[in-house]
Amino acid sequence: VHLRIGTQELGFLKPNPPQRLPVFRHARPSSGLTLAFEVPDVSAVYRQFQRWKIETLGMPEMSGKGEMAFSVMDPAGMILNFVEHIPGMSDIVEL
């Protein structure tokens, strides 16, 4: 379920979706809550987390939907997913 107000969007996912995108292959299970933040430059956000020495759940990865994303887990187990939409990349299919 995705709720959109203006340019802001809040999405809710089932804990075990039938299709697991690469960005959701986490090393540790979460408590079931994931917040996604659309950012203009996901690589810059990733580098900032690296400078802050915050552990990420993998490196930024491209999905078949033209999104580059990575996640972090907060101490309470909530997943924070940072996503950048790459124009013209939605036709790429991962093999």
Side-chain angles (χ1 to χ4, degrees):
V1 175
H2 287 269
L3 305 174
R4 182 176 293 191
I5 300 173
T7 61
Q8 304 300 311
E9 187 173 314
L10 177 63
F12 298 91
L13 300 173
K14 292 180 180 181
N16 295 307
Q19 178 187 9
R20 292 189 59 116
L21 297 174
V23 72
F24 293 115
R25 282 185 261 144
H26 304 299
R28 299 177 291 216
S30 75
S31 299
L33 181 60
T34 299
L35 296 178
F37 299 95
E38 188 172 332
V39 297
D41 186 349
V42 79
S43 295
V45 174
Y46 179 79
R47 287 190 303 272
Q48 184 62 53
F49 277 98
Q50 296 297 298
R51 284 192 293 274
W52 289 336
K53 299 189 185 319
I54 294 175
E55 181 182 352
T56 63
L57 301 173
M59 296 175 55
E61 294 184 41
M62 180 64 76
S63 76
K65 296 183 179 185
E67 298 176 343
M68 178 73 78
F70 76 97
S71 299
V72 297
M73 183 183 296
D74 81 354
M78 183 185 320
I79 302 295
L80 306 176
N81 186 27
F82 296 90
V83 181
E84 175 186 358
H85 293 280
I86 312 292
M89 298 296 282
S90 62
D91 297 332
I92 294 177
V93 176
E94 292 183 4
L95 301 176

